[in-house]
């Protein structure tokens, strides 16, 4: 029984993957803001994540924006993860115009 519990902890779910991607996006956006000097160096605080030093902005309005954006990204991944998988895949591709899904 213990081996099933240990094995279950190592499984990455689609929902968990969406959270990881959203978190990486947040760190990436902070890195871009720092490296492009969009905000002064003093606006960032150093944290250790994934064994690496990361810089996070301390400005509350930017943190709020990032939080909102990453939750939307996570929501998009959740929608993609839970879409209907019973869609037939064509054997050949026709010349169709791409459809916008916005």
């Amino acid at each position: 029984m213990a081996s099933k519990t240990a094995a279950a902890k190592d499984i990455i779910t689609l929902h968990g993957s969406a959270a990881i991607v959203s978190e990486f996006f947040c760190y990436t956006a902070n890195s871009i803001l720092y490296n492009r000097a969009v905000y002064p160096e003093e606006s960032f605080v150093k944290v250790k994540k994934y064994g690496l030093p990361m810089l996070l902005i301390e400005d509350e309005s930017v943190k709020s924006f990032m939080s909102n954006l990453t939750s939307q990204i996570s929501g998009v991944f959740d929608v993609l993860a839970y879409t209907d998988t019973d869609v037939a895949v064509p054997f050949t591709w026709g010349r169709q115009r791409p459809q916008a899904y916005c």
Side-chain angles (χ1 to χ4, degrees):
M1 186 69 165
S3 63
K4 286 184 179 180
T5 306
K9 282 183 9 183
D10 294 335
I11 295 173
I12 297 176
T13 63
L14 290 174
H15 182 70
S17 297
I20 291 170
V21 169
S22 295
E23 186 177 11
F24 281 163
F25 179 81
C26 183
Y27 286 114
T28 302
N30 276 281
S31 179
I32 291 169
L33 292 174
Y34 177 80
N35 288 320
R36 297 291 181 181
V38 176
Y39 290 91
E41 214 173 304
E42 302 81 34
S43 300
F44 294 86
V45 63
K46 190 181 283 190
V47 297
K48 189 143 184 152
K49 190 70 174 177
Y50 308 110
L52 299 169
M54 303 280 188
L55 293 165
L56 294 177
I57 195 155
E58 290 186 313
D59 187 311
E60 287 300 322
S61 62
V62 177
K63 285 168 59 174
S64 173
F65 175 79
M66 289 288 192
S67 176
N68 185 21
L69 188 60
T70 54
S71 68
Q72 289 178 17
I73 289 171
S74 182
V76 168
F77 278 103
D78 285 343
V79 168
L80 292 175
Y82 299 116
T83 56
D84 186 11
T85 58
D86 293 50
V87 177
V89 177
F91 288 106
T92 60
W93 295 97
R95 294 191 140 214
Q96 295 178 341
R97 292 183 56 151
Q99 297 177 355
Y101 294 103
C102 298

